Amino acid sequence: SIPFLILIVVVIPLTRLIVGTSVGTVASIVPLVVAAFPFVARLVEGSIREVDAGMIEAAESMGADALLMVTPYYNKASQDGLIESFSYIEKRVSTPMILYNVPSRTGVNILPETYLELSKLPLVNGVKEANGDISAFSKTVALCKDNLNYYSGNDDQITAFMALGAIGVISVLSNVAPKVTHDIAQFALDGNIKASKELQLEYLDLCNALFCDVNPIPVKEALCLMGKDVGRCRMPLSPINEKNKAILINALKNHNLI
């Protein structure tokens, strides 16, 4: 079964000291800590110059259990380029890697056949799949089988992905409704797809509301509305507008979260 809480610590803009502090603060109390890096920690217009081993080492030494590695962005790598590039990174780290495929943000999509090649790398442990393509995900699981651990990257597709072989979700919804998110996944792991589906559909409006604006604008606003003052997003992300705030408030009230 999955841990009740998987914490993602985003370290791209941080110094080595802050990376170590961020990971170390939570590593002793959270079952699984994943340090989220860009494709490489030092980028110049999206291309490799060097791996910033210092930040990765800081995360590893302070208790990070895995590294969440997003695909390259801006420079749109070919599938051969993805294989070459992730292989380059894999040789220079010592912690399991979870590949993060989110083409809506990066403009790059990992194809099932590419996953098959990447699954042969010893430290490529899993995939956070956020391309929303159920057919492609099915093909990936058919090709790679148990050589990868699969996580849904979309809260509105947890049940569907887990019915096809995913073992959990790396989630936005869990920030505001952690037990609900856990239960959707746990029901699916237990083989109770009907219960997982029912809970998934019950909270579909909240899943959608948390993406009524660019993530993480809505989830930070939701936490503030729930009495957890996490502040606003840094620029270039703006505060949520009144129209989207109303959508968010309605969904939170619908589930008695405010």
Side-chain angles (χ1 to χ4, degrees), residues 102-119:
V102 56
S104 64
R105 288 182 176 269
T106 65
V108 177
N109 183 42
I110 306 176
L111 297 180
E113 295 80 5
T114 303
Y115 279 127
L116 177 60
E117 295 305 312
L118 293 171
S119 71

PDB file of all heavy atoms in Angstrom, residues 102-119:
ATOM      1  N   VAL A 102       4.738  15.920 -17.990  1.00  0.00           N
ATOM      2  CA  VAL A 102       3.648  16.899 -17.925  1.00  0.00           C
ATOM      3  C   VAL A 102       3.738  17.812 -19.151  1.00  0.00           C
ATOM      4  O   VAL A 102       4.152  18.968 -19.061  1.00  0.00           O
ATOM      5  CB  VAL A 102       3.671  17.677 -16.589  1.00  0.00           C
ATOM      6  CG1 VAL A 102       5.010  18.362 -16.351  1.00  0.00           C
ATOM      7  CG2 VAL A 102       2.492  18.628 -16.465  1.00  0.00           C
ATOM      8  N   PRO A 103       3.360  17.286 -20.322  1.00  0.00           N
ATOM      9  CA  PRO A 103       3.544  18.043 -21.569  1.00  0.00           C
ATOM     10  C   PRO A 103       2.791  19.359 -21.625  1.00  0.00           C
ATOM     11  O   PRO A 103       3.187  20.254 -22.370  1.00  0.00           O
ATOM     12  CB  PRO A 103       3.060  17.068 -22.652  1.00  0.00           C
ATOM     13  CG  PRO A 103       2.255  16.046 -21.932  1.00  0.00           C
ATOM     14  CD  PRO A 103       2.829  15.943 -20.565  1.00  0.00           C
ATOM     15  N   SER A 104       1.716  19.509 -20.848  1.00  0.00           N
ATOM     16  CA  SER A 104       0.999  20.784 -20.858  1.00  0.00           C
ATOM     17  C   SER A 104       1.882  21.913 -20.330  1.00  0.00           C
ATOM     18  O   SER A 104       1.646  23.087 -20.650  1.00  0.00           O
ATOM     19  CB  SER A 104      -0.272  20.681 -20.010  1.00  0.00           C
ATOM     20  OG  SER A 104       0.043  20.437 -18.645  1.00  0.00           O
ATOM     21  N   ARG A 105       2.875  21.583 -19.536  1.00  0.00           N
ATOM     22  CA  ARG A 105       3.790  22.589 -19.000  1.00  0.00           C
ATOM     23  C   ARG A 105       5.104  22.654 -19.766  1.00  0.00           C
ATOM     24  O   ARG A 105       5.711  23.713 -19.882  1.00  0.00           O
ATOM     25  CB  ARG A 105       4.084  22.318 -17.522  1.00  0.00           C
ATOM     26  CG  ARG A 105       2.917  22.616 -16.592  1.00  0.00           C
ATOM     27  CD  ARG A 105       3.307  22.371 -15.140  1.00  0.00           C
ATOM     28  NE  ARG A 105       2.242  22.745 -14.220  1.00  0.00           N
ATOM     29  CZ  ARG A 105       2.099  23.946 -13.670  1.00  0.00           C
ATOM     30  NH1 ARG A 105       2.966  24.907 -13.970  1.00  0.00           N
ATOM     31  NH2 ARG A 105       1.114  24.197 -12.840  1.00  0.00           N
ATOM     32  N   THR A 106       5.570  21.511 -20.256  1.00  0.00           N
ATOM     33  CA  THR A 106       6.920  21.468 -20.843  1.00  0.00           C
ATOM     34  C   THR A 106       6.927  21.452 -22.363  1.00  0.00           C
ATOM     35  O   THR A 106       7.937  21.779 -22.969  1.00  0.00           O
ATOM     36  CB  THR A 106       7.658  20.211 -20.360  1.00  0.00           C
ATOM     37  OG1 THR A 106       6.988  19.042 -20.874  1.00  0.00           O
ATOM     38  CG2 THR A 106       7.717  20.150 -18.838  1.00  0.00           C
ATOM     39  N   GLY A 107       5.816  21.036 -22.975  1.00  0.00           N
ATOM     40  CA  GLY A 107       5.795  20.889 -24.424  1.00  0.00           C
ATOM     41  C   GLY A 107       6.452  19.609 -24.904  1.00  0.00           C
ATOM     42  O   GLY A 107       6.616  19.409 -26.106  1.00  0.00           O
ATOM     43  N   VAL A 108       6.835  18.730 -23.975  1.00  0.00           N
ATOM     44  CA  VAL A 108       7.511  17.474 -24.307  1.00  0.00           C
ATOM     45  C   VAL A 108       6.714  16.322 -23.705  1.00  0.00           C
ATOM     46  O   VAL A 108       6.331  16.372 -22.536  1.00  0.00           O
ATOM     47  CB  VAL A 108       8.955  17.454 -23.754  1.00  0.00           C
ATOM     48  CG1 VAL A 108       9.632  16.117 -24.032  1.00  0.00           C
ATOM     49  CG2 VAL A 108       9.768  18.592 -24.346  1.00  0.00           C
ATOM     50  N   ASN A 109       6.478  15.276 -24.503  1.00  0.00           N
ATOM     51  CA  ASN A 109       5.703  14.126 -24.037  1.00  0.00           C
ATOM     52  C   ASN A 109       6.545  12.862 -24.153  1.00  0.00           C
ATOM     53  O   ASN A 109       7.144  12.601 -25.202  1.00  0.00           O
ATOM     54  CB  ASN A 109       4.434  13.974 -24.877  1.00  0.00           C
ATOM     55  CG  ASN A 109       3.539  12.851 -24.398  1.00  0.00           C
ATOM     56  OD1 ASN A 109       3.332  12.675 -23.201  1.00  0.00           O
ATOM     57  ND2 ASN A 109       3.007  12.071 -25.331  1.00  0.00           N
ATOM     58  N   ILE A 110       6.598  12.068 -23.082  1.00  0.00           N
ATOM     59  CA  ILE A 110       7.322  10.797 -23.120  1.00  0.00           C
ATOM     60  C   ILE A 110       6.394   9.722 -23.683  1.00  0.00           C
ATOM     61  O   ILE A 110       5.317   9.487 -23.144  1.00  0.00           O
ATOM     62  CB  ILE A 110       7.815  10.378 -21.723  1.00  0.00           C
ATOM     63  CG1 ILE A 110       8.644  11.489 -21.075  1.00  0.00           C
ATOM     64  CG2 ILE A 110       8.636   9.087 -21.819  1.00  0.00           C
ATOM     65  CD1 ILE A 110       9.085  11.184 -19.649  1.00  0.00           C
ATOM     66  N   LEU A 111       6.807   9.063 -24.745  1.00  0.00           N
ATOM     67  CA  LEU A 111       5.999   8.036 -25.382  1.00  0.00           C
ATOM     68  C   LEU A 111       6.199   6.684 -24.699  1.00  0.00           C
ATOM     69  O   LEU A 111       7.229   6.442 -24.057  1.00  0.00           O
ATOM     70  CB  LEU A 111       6.360   7.925 -26.862  1.00  0.00           C
ATOM     71  CG  LEU A 111       6.096   9.173 -27.710  1.00  0.00           C
ATOM     72  CD1 LEU A 111       6.511   8.920 -29.158  1.00  0.00           C
ATOM     73  CD2 LEU A 111       4.637   9.600 -27.637  1.00  0.00           C
ATOM     74  N   PRO A 112       5.234   5.772 -24.821  1.00  0.00           N
ATOM     75  CA  PRO A 112       5.356   4.460 -24.183  1.00  0.00           C
ATOM     76  C   PRO A 112       6.641   3.720 -24.551  1.00  0.00           C
ATOM     77  O   PRO A 112       7.284   3.099 -23.690  1.00  0.00           O
ATOM     78  CB  PRO A 112       4.117   3.710 -24.680  1.00  0.00           C
ATOM     79  CG  PRO A 112       3.106   4.788 -24.919  1.00  0.00           C
ATOM     80  CD  PRO A 112       3.902   5.949 -25.443  1.00  0.00           C
ATOM     81  N   GLU A 113       7.031   3.773 -25.809  1.00  0.00           N
ATOM     82  CA  GLU A 113       8.247   3.077 -26.242  1.00  0.00           C
ATOM     83  C   GLU A 113       9.490   3.673 -25.577  1.00  0.00           C
ATOM     84  O   GLU A 113      10.484   2.967 -25.335  1.00  0.00           O
ATOM     85  CB  GLU A 113       8.378   3.145 -27.765  1.00  0.00           C
ATOM     86  CG  GLU A 113       7.286   2.410 -28.515  1.00  0.00           C
ATOM     87  CD  GLU A 113       5.978   3.197 -28.636  1.00  0.00           C
ATOM     88  OE1 GLU A 113       5.926   4.369 -28.215  1.00  0.00           O
ATOM     89  OE2 GLU A 113       5.001   2.630 -29.171  1.00  0.00           O
ATOM     90  N   THR A 114       9.437   4.977 -25.296  1.00  0.00           N
ATOM     91  CA  THR A 114      10.551   5.631 -24.614  1.00  0.00           C
ATOM     92  C   THR A 114      10.608   5.214 -23.154  1.00  0.00           C
ATOM     93  O   THR A 114      11.691   4.971 -22.598  1.00  0.00           O
ATOM     94  CB  THR A 114      10.414   7.156 -24.745  1.00  0.00           C
ATOM     95  OG1 THR A 114      10.366   7.493 -26.138  1.00  0.00           O
ATOM     96  CG2 THR A 114      11.586   7.881 -24.100  1.00  0.00           C
ATOM     97  N   TYR A 115       9.442   5.108 -22.527  1.00  0.00           N
ATOM     98  CA  TYR A 115       9.402   4.582 -21.161  1.00  0.00           C
ATOM     99  C   TYR A 115      10.035   3.194 -21.098  1.00  0.00           C
ATOM    100  O   TYR A 115      10.726   2.848 -20.128  1.00  0.00           O
ATOM    101  CB  TYR A 115       7.966   4.501 -20.652  1.00  0.00           C
ATOM    102  CG  TYR A 115       7.393   5.783 -20.139  1.00  0.00           C
ATOM    103  CD1 TYR A 115       6.176   6.268 -20.623  1.00  0.00           C
ATOM    104  CD2 TYR A 115       8.037   6.522 -19.148  1.00  0.00           C
ATOM    105  CE1 TYR A 115       5.623   7.447 -20.134  1.00  0.00           C
ATOM    106  CE2 TYR A 115       7.493   7.699 -18.658  1.00  0.00           C
ATOM    107  CZ  TYR A 115       6.288   8.151 -19.152  1.00  0.00           C
ATOM    108  OH  TYR A 115       5.745   9.322 -18.662  1.00  0.00           O
ATOM    109  N   LEU A 116       9.788   2.382 -22.108  1.00  0.00           N
ATOM    110  CA  LEU A 116      10.346   1.029 -22.124  1.00  0.00           C
ATOM    111  C   LEU A 116      11.873   1.072 -22.056  1.00  0.00           C
ATOM    112  O   LEU A 116      12.488   0.322 -21.288  1.00  0.00           O
ATOM    113  CB  LEU A 116       9.888   0.280 -23.375  1.00  0.00           C
ATOM    114  CG  LEU A 116      10.454  -1.134 -23.547  1.00  0.00           C
ATOM    115  CD1 LEU A 116      10.054  -2.027 -22.377  1.00  0.00           C
ATOM    116  CD2 LEU A 116       9.974  -1.732 -24.878  1.00  0.00           C
ATOM    117  N   GLU A 117      12.476   1.959 -22.824  1.00  0.00           N
ATOM    118  CA  GLU A 117      13.943   2.078 -22.798  1.00  0.00           C
ATOM    119  C   GLU A 117      14.412   2.649 -21.465  1.00  0.00           C
ATOM    120  O   GLU A 117      15.403   2.179 -20.889  1.00  0.00           O
ATOM    121  CB  GLU A 117      14.412   2.950 -23.956  1.00  0.00           C
ATOM    122  CG  GLU A 117      14.153   2.355 -25.327  1.00  0.00           C
ATOM    123  CD  GLU A 117      14.760   0.961 -25.460  1.00  0.00           C
ATOM    124  OE1 GLU A 117      15.939   0.785 -25.104  1.00  0.00           O
ATOM    125  OE2 GLU A 117      14.037   0.040 -25.903  1.00  0.00           O
ATOM    126  N   LEU A 118      13.713   3.651 -20.957  1.00  0.00           N
ATOM    127  CA  LEU A 118      14.121   4.277 -19.696  1.00  0.00           C
ATOM    128  C   LEU A 118      13.934   3.329 -18.511  1.00  0.00           C
ATOM    129  O   LEU A 118      14.670   3.419 -17.522  1.00  0.00           O
ATOM    130  CB  LEU A 118      13.328   5.564 -19.470  1.00  0.00           C
ATOM    131  CG  LEU A 118      13.627   6.696 -20.458  1.00  0.00           C
ATOM    132  CD1 LEU A 118      12.628   7.835 -20.285  1.00  0.00           C
ATOM    133  CD2 LEU A 118      15.051   7.221 -20.276  1.00  0.00           C
ATOM    134  N   SER A 119      12.973   2.419 -18.605  1.00  0.00           N
ATOM    135  CA  SER A 119      12.731   1.474 -17.508  1.00  0.00           C
ATOM    136  C   SER A 119      13.898   0.518 -17.306  1.00  0.00           C
ATOM    137  O   SER A 119      13.984  -0.146 -16.262  1.00  0.00           O
ATOM    138  CB  SER A 119      11.450   0.682 -17.768  1.00  0.00           C
ATOM    139  OG  SER A 119      11.616  -0.251 -18.826  1.00  0.00           O
TER     140      SER A 119
END
